[in-house]
Coordinates of all heavy atoms in Angstrom, one line a residue:
R433 N 2.3 6.2 -12.6 CA 1.7 6.6 -11.3 C 0.2 6.7 -11.3 O -0.3 6.7 -10.2 CB 2.3 8.0 -10.9 CG 3.8 8.1 -11.0 CD 4.2 9.6 -10.9 NE 3.8 10.4 -11.9 CZ 3.9 11.7 -12.1 NH1 4.6 12.3 -11.1 NH2 3.4 12.3 -13.1
I434 N -0.4 6.6 -12.4 CA -1.9 6.7 -12.5 C -2.4 5.3 -12.9 O -2.1 4.8 -14.1 CB -2.3 7.7 -13.5 CG1 -1.8 9.1 -13.0 CG2 -3.8 7.8 -13.5 CD1 -2.2 10.3 -13.9
H435 N -3.2 4.6 -12.1 CA -3.6 3.2 -12.4 C -5.1 3.3 -12.8 O -5.9 3.8 -12.1 CB -3.5 2.3 -11.2 CG -2.1 2.2 -10.8 ND1 -1.2 1.3 -11.2 CD2 -1.3 2.9 -9.8 CE1 0.0 1.4 -10.7 NE2 0.0 2.3 -9.8
L436 N -5.4 2.8 -14.0 CA -6.8 2.8 -14.5 C -7.4 1.4 -14.2 O -6.8 0.4 -14.8 CB -6.8 3.1 -16.0 CG -6.1 4.5 -16.4 CD1 -6.1 4.7 -17.8 CD2 -6.9 5.6 -15.7
L437 N -8.4 1.3 -13.5 CA -9.1 0.1 -13.1 C -10.4 -0.1 -13.7 O -11.1 1.0 -13.9 CB -9.0 -0.1 -11.6 CG -7.7 0.0 -10.9 CD1 -7.8 -0.4 -9.4 CD2 -6.7 -0.9 -11.5
P438 N -10.9 -1.3 -13.8 CA -12.3 -1.5 -14.3 C -13.3 -1.2 -13.2 O -12.9 -0.9 -12.0 CB -12.4 -3.0 -14.7 CG -11.3 -3.6 -13.8 CD -10.2 -2.6 -13.7
N439 N -14.6 -1.2 -13.6 CA -15.7 -0.9 -12.6 C -16.6 -2.1 -12.7 O -17.3 -2.4 -13.7 CB -16.4 0.4 -13.0 CG -17.6 0.7 -12.2 OD1 -17.7 0.4 -11.0 ND2 -18.6 1.2 -12.8
P440 N -16.7 -2.8 -11.5 CA -16.0 -2.7 -10.2 C -14.6 -3.2 -10.3 O -14.2 -3.9 -11.3 CB -16.8 -3.5 -9.3 CG -17.4 -4.6 -10.1 CD -17.6 -4.0 -11.5
A441 N -13.8 -3.1 -9.2 CA -12.4 -3.4 -9.1 C -12.1 -4.0 -7.8 O -12.6 -3.6 -6.8 CB -11.5 -2.2 -9.4
R442 N -11.2 -5.1 -7.8 CA -10.5 -5.6 -6.7 C -9.0 -5.3 -6.8 O -8.5 -5.6 -7.9 CB -10.8 -7.1 -6.5 CG -12.1 -7.4 -5.9 CD -12.3 -7.1 -4.4 NE -11.2 -7.6 -3.6 CZ -11.3 -8.7 -2.8 NH1 -12.4 -9.3 -2.7 NH2 -10.3 -9.1 -2.1
F443 N -8.3 -4.9 -5.8 CA -7.0 -4.6 -5.8 C -6.4 -4.6 -4.4 O -7.2 -4.7 -3.4 CB -6.7 -3.3 -6.5 CG -7.3 -2.1 -5.8 CD1 -6.5 -1.3 -4.9 CD2 -8.6 -1.7 -6.2 CE1 -7.1 -0.2 -4.3 CE2 -9.1 -0.6 -5.6 CZ -8.4 0.2 -4.7
S444 N -5.2 -4.5 -4.3 CA -4.5 -4.5 -2.9 C -3.4 -3.4 -2.9 O -2.8 -3.1 -3.9 CB -3.9 -5.8 -2.6 OG -2.8 -6.1 -3.4
I445 N -3.3 -2.8 -1.7 CA -2.3 -1.8 -1.4 C -1.5 -2.4 -0.2 O -2.1 -2.5 0.8 CB -2.8 -0.4 -1.2 CG1 -3.5 0.1 -2.4 CG2 -1.7 0.6 -0.8 CD1 -4.2 1.5 -2.2
N446 N -0.2 -2.6 -0.4 CA 0.6 -3.4 0.6 C -0.2 -4.8 0.9 O -0.5 -5.5 0.0 CB 0.8 -2.6 1.8 CG 1.8 -1.4 1.6 OD1 2.4 -1.3 0.5 ND2 2.0 -0.6 2.6
D447 N -0.6 -5.0 2.2 CA -1.2 -6.2 2.4 C -2.8 -6.0 2.7 O -3.4 -6.9 3.2 CB -0.7 -6.8 3.8 CG -0.8 -5.9 4.9 OD1 -0.9 -4.7 4.8 OD2 -1.0 -6.4 6.1
I448 N -3.3 -4.8 2.3 CA -4.7 -4.5 2.5 C -5.5 -4.6 1.2 O -5.0 -4.1 0.2 CB -4.9 -3.1 3.1 CG1 -4.1 -3.0 4.4 CG2 -6.4 -2.8 3.3 CD1 -4.5 -3.9 5.5
T449 N -6.5 -5.4 1.2 CA -7.3 -5.6 -0.1 C -8.5 -4.6 -0.1 O -9.1 -4.3 0.9 CB -7.9 -7.0 -0.2 OG1 -8.7 -7.3 1.0 CG2 -6.6 -8.0 -0.2
F450 N -8.8 -4.1 -1.3 CA -9.8 -3.2 -1.5 C -10.8 -3.7 -2.6 O -10.5 -4.4 -3.5 CB -9.3 -1.8 -2.1 CG -8.5 -1.0 -1.0 CD1 -7.2 -1.4 -0.7 CD2 -9.1 0.0 -0.4 CE1 -6.5 -0.7 0.3 CE2 -8.4 0.8 0.5 CZ -7.0 0.4 0.9
G451 N -12.1 -3.3 -2.4 CA -13.1 -3.5 -3.5 C -13.8 -2.2 -3.7 O -14.2 -1.5 -2.7
M452 N -14.1 -1.7 -4.9 CA -14.8 -0.5 -5.1 C -15.7 -0.5 -6.4 O -15.3 -1.3 -7.4 CB -13.8 0.7 -5.1 CG -12.7 0.5 -6.2 SD -11.3 1.7 -6.0 CE -12.1 3.2 -6.0
S453 N -16.7 0.2 -6.4 CA -17.6 0.3 -7.5 C -18.3 1.6 -7.5 O -18.6 2.2 -6.4 CB -18.7 -0.8 -7.4 OG -19.7 -0.6 -8.4
S454 N -18.5 2.2 -8.8 CA -19.1 3.5 -8.8 C -20.6 3.5 -8.9 O -21.2 4.6 -8.9 CB -18.4 4.4 -10.0 OG -18.7 3.6 -11.2
V455 N -21.1 2.3 -9.0 CA -22.6 2.2 -9.1 C -23.2 2.4 -7.7 O -22.7 1.8 -6.7 CB -23.0 0.8 -9.8 CG1 -24.5 0.6 -9.6 CG2 -22.6 0.8 -11.2
D456 N -24.3 3.1 -7.6 CA -25.0 3.4 -6.3 C -25.8 2.2 -6.0 O -27.0 2.2 -5.8 CB -25.7 4.6 -6.4 CG -26.3 5.1 -5.0 OD1 -26.0 4.4 -4.0 OD2 -26.8 6.2 -5.0
V457 N -25.2 1.1 -5.6 CA -25.9 -0.2 -5.3 C -26.6 -0.1 -3.9 O -27.7 -0.7 -3.7 CB -24.9 -1.4 -5.3 CG1 -23.8 -1.3 -4.3 CG2 -25.8 -2.7 -5.1
L458 N -26.1 0.7 -3.0 CA -26.7 0.8 -1.7 C -28.1 1.5 -1.8 O -29.1 1.0 -1.2 CB -25.8 1.7 -0.7 CG -24.5 1.0 -0.5 CD1 -23.7 2.0 0.5 CD2 -24.7 -0.3 0.3
Y459 N -28.2 2.5 -2.6 CA -29.5 3.2 -2.8 C -30.5 2.3 -3.5 O -31.6 2.2 -3.1 CB -29.3 4.4 -3.6 CG -30.6 5.1 -4.0 CD1 -31.4 5.8 -3.1 CD2 -31.2 5.0 -5.4 CE1 -32.6 6.4 -3.5 CE2 -32.3 5.6 -5.7 CZ -33.1 6.3 -4.8 OH -34.2 6.9 -5.1
H460 N -30.0 1.5 -4.5 CA -30.9 0.5 -5.2 C -31.4 -0.5 -4.2 O -32.6 -0.9 -4.4 CB -30.1 -0.1 -6.4 CG -29.7 1.0 -7.4 ND1 -29.0 0.5 -8.6 CD2 -29.9 2.2 -7.5 CE1 -28.8 1.6 -9.3 NE2 -29.3 2.7 -8.7
L461 N -30.5 -1.0 -3.4 CA -31.0 -2.1 -2.5 C -31.9 -1.5 -1.4 O -32.9 -2.2 -1.2 CB -29.7 -2.7 -1.7 CG -28.9 -3.6 -2.5 CD1 -27.6 -3.9 -1.7 CD2 -29.6 -4.9 -2.7
R462 N -31.7 -0.4 -0.9 CA -32.6 0.2 0.2 C -33.9 0.5 -0.5 O -35.0 0.4 0.1 CB -32.0 1.5 0.7 CG -30.9 1.3 1.7 CD -31.3 0.5 3.0 NE -32.3 1.3 3.7 CZ -32.0 2.2 4.6 NH1 -30.7 2.4 4.9 NH2 -32.9 2.9 5.3
K463 N -33.9 0.9 -1.7 CA -35.2 1.2 -2.5 C -36.1 -0.1 -2.7 O -37.2 0.1 -2.7 CB -34.8 1.8 -3.8 CG -36.0 2.2 -4.6 CD -35.4 3.0 -5.9 CE -36.5 3.3 -6.8 NZ -37.2 2.1 -7.3
E464 N -35.4 -1.2 -3.0 CA -36.1 -2.4 -3.4 C -36.3 -3.4 -2.2 O -37.0 -4.4 -2.4 CB -35.4 -3.0 -4.5 CG -35.4 -2.3 -5.8 CD -36.7 -2.0 -6.3 OE1 -37.6 -3.0 -6.4 OE2 -37.0 -0.8 -6.6
E465 N -35.6 -3.3 -1.1 CA -35.6 -4.3 -0.1 C -36.9 -4.4 0.6 O -37.6 -3.4 1.0 CB -34.5 -3.9 1.0 CG -34.3 -4.9 2.0 CD -33.2 -4.5 3.1 OE1 -33.1 -3.2 3.2 OE2 -32.6 -5.3 3.6
L466 N -37.4 -5.7 0.8 CA -38.5 -6.0 1.7 C -37.9 -6.6 2.9 O -37.4 -7.7 2.9 CB -39.4 -7.0 0.9 CG -40.4 -7.7 1.8 CD1 -41.5 -6.7 2.3 CD2 -41.1 -8.8 1.0
L467 N -38.2 -6.0 4.1 CA -37.8 -6.4 5.4 C -38.8 -7.3 5.9 O -39.9 -6.9 6.3 CB -37.4 -5.3 6.3 CG -36.9 -5.7 7.7 CD1 -35.6 -6.4 7.6 CD2 -36.7 -4.4 8.6
K468 N -38.5 -8.7 6.1 CA -39.4 -9.6 6.6 C -39.1 -9.9 8.0 O -38.0 -10.4 8.4 CB -39.4 -10.9 5.8 CG -40.4 -11.9 6.3 CD -41.8 -11.4 6.3 CE -42.7 -12.4 6.9 NZ -44.1 -11.8 7.2
R469 N -39.9 -9.5 9.0 CA -39.7 -9.8 10.4 C -39.9 -11.2 10.8 O -40.7 -12.0 10.2 CB -40.6 -8.9 11.3 CG -40.4 -7.4 11.0 CD -39.1 -6.9 11.6 NE -38.9 -5.5 11.4 CZ -37.8 -4.8 11.8 NH1 -36.9 -5.5 12.5 NH2 -37.7 -3.5 11.7
G470 N -39.2 -11.7 11.8 CA -39.3 -13.0 12.3 C -38.5 -13.2 13.7 O -37.8 -12.2 14.0
S471 N -38.8 -14.2 14.3 CA -38.0 -14.5 15.6 C -36.6 -15.1 15.2 O -36.5 -15.9 14.4 CB -38.8 -15.5 16.4 OG -39.0 -16.7 15.8
E472 N -35.7 -14.6 16.0 CA -34.3 -15.0 15.8 C -33.9 -16.2 16.4 O -34.3 -16.5 17.6 CB -33.3 -13.9 16.4 CG -33.5 -12.5 15.7 CD -32.6 -11.5 16.3 OE1 -31.8 -11.8 17.2 OE2 -32.6 -10.3 15.8
V473 N -33.3 -17.2 15.6 CA -32.8 -18.4 16.1 C -31.3 -18.6 15.7 O -30.9 -18.4 14.6 CB -33.6 -19.6 15.5 CG1 -33.2 -20.9 15.9 CG2 -35.1 -19.4 15.8
D474 N -30.5 -19.0 16.7 CA -29.1 -19.2 16.5 C -28.5 -18.0 15.9 O -27.6 -18.1 14.9 CB -28.8 -20.5 15.6 CG -29.3 -21.8 16.3 OD1 -29.3 -21.8 17.5 OD2 -29.6 -22.7 15.6
S475 N -28.9 -16.7 16.3 CA -28.4 -15.5 15.7 C -26.9 -15.4 16.0 O -26.3 -15.9 17.0 CB -29.1 -14.4 16.2 OG -29.1 -14.3 17.6
V476 N -26.2 -14.7 15.1 CA -24.8 -14.5 15.2 C -24.5 -13.1 15.8 O -25.1 -12.1 15.4 CB -24.1 -14.6 13.8 CG1 -22.6 -14.3 13.9 CG2 -24.4 -15.9 13.2
V477 N -23.6 -13.0 16.8 CA -23.3 -11.7 17.5 C -22.3 -11.0 16.6 O -21.2 -11.5 16.4 CB -22.8 -12.0 18.9 CG1 -22.4 -10.6 19.5 CG2 -23.8 -12.7 19.7
P478 N -22.6 -9.8 16.0 CA -21.7 -9.1 15.3 C -20.5 -8.7 16.1 O -20.5 -8.5 17.3 CB -22.5 -7.9 14.8 CG -23.9 -8.2 15.0 CD -24.0 -9.1 16.1
S479 N -19.3 -8.6 15.4 CA -18.1 -8.2 16.1 C -17.8 -6.7 16.1 O -18.2 -6.0 15.2 CB -16.9 -8.9 15.4 OG -16.8 -8.5 14.1
G480 N -17.2 -6.3 17.1 CA -16.7 -4.9 17.2 C -17.9 -4.0 17.2 O -18.8 -4.0 17.9
D481 N -17.8 -2.8 16.3 CA -18.9 -1.9 16.3 C -20.0 -2.3 15.4 O -21.0 -1.6 15.3 CB -18.2 -0.6 15.7 CG -17.2 0.0 16.6 OD1 -17.2 -0.2 17.8 OD2 -16.2 0.6 16.0
D482 N -19.9 -3.5 14.8 CA -21.0 -4.0 14.0 C -22.2 -4.4 14.8 O -22.0 -5.2 15.7 CB -20.5 -5.1 13.1 CG -21.5 -5.6 12.1 OD1 -22.6 -4.9 12.0 OD2 -21.3 -6.6 11.4
T483 N -23.4 -3.9 14.5 CA -24.6 -4.2 15.3 C -25.7 -4.7 14.2 O -25.8 -4.1 13.2 CB -25.1 -3.1 16.1 OG1 -25.5 -2.0 15.3 CG2 -24.1 -2.6 17.1
G484 N -26.4 -5.7 14.6 CA -27.5 -6.1 13.7 C -28.6 -5.1 13.6 O -29.4 -5.2 12.6
A485 N -28.7 -4.2 14.5 CA -29.8 -3.2 14.4 C -29.5 -2.1 13.5 O -30.4 -1.3 13.2 CB -30.1 -2.7 15.8
D486 N -28.3 -2.0 13.0 CA -27.9 -0.9 12.0 C -28.4 -1.3 10.6 O -28.0 -2.2 10.0 CB -26.4 -0.7 12.0 CG -26.0 0.5 11.2 OD1 -26.6 0.9 10.3 OD2 -24.9 1.0 11.6
L487 N -29.4 -0.6 10.1 CA -30.0 -0.9 8.8 C -29.0 -0.7 7.7 O -29.0 -1.5 6.7 CB -31.2 0.1 8.6 CG -32.4 -0.2 9.5 CD1 -33.5 0.8 9.2 CD2 -33.0 -1.6 9.4
M488 N -28.2 0.3 7.7 CA -27.2 0.5 6.6 C -26.2 -0.5 6.6 O -25.8 -1.0 5.6 CB -26.6 1.9 6.8 CG -25.6 2.2 5.6 SD -26.5 2.1 4.0 CE -27.7 3.5 4.1
A489 N -25.7 -1.0 7.8 CA -24.8 -2.1 7.9 C -25.4 -3.4 7.3 O -24.7 -4.1 6.7 CB -24.3 -2.3 9.3
N490 N -26.6 -3.6 7.6 CA -27.4 -4.8 7.1 C -27.5 -4.7 5.6 O -27.5 -5.8 4.8 CB -28.7 -4.9 7.7 CG -28.6 -5.4 9.2 OD1 -27.6 -6.0 9.6 ND2 -29.6 -5.0 10.0

Side-chain angles (χ1 to χ4, degrees):
R433 303 169 300 177
I434 302 178
H435 300 274
L436 303 177
L437 301 186
N439 175 34
R442 278 291 306 256
F443 60 95
S444 67
I445 300 175
N446 290 354
D447 62 328
I448 305 301
T449 59
F450 289 77
M452 59 196 300
S453 170
S454 60
V455 170
D456 192 353
V457 62
L458 296 180
Y459 174 75
H460 297 182
L461 281 171
R462 287 294 298 272
K463 180 176 175 297
E464 296 299 312
E465 184 182 28
L466 165 66
L467 181 60
K468 182 56 188 172
R469 298 289 181 180
S471 59
E472 298 180 0
V473 178
D474 297 334
S475 56
V476 178
V477 180
S479 59
D481 298 329
D482 185 8
T483 62
D486 190 331
L487 293 178
M488 185 55 66
N490 289 335

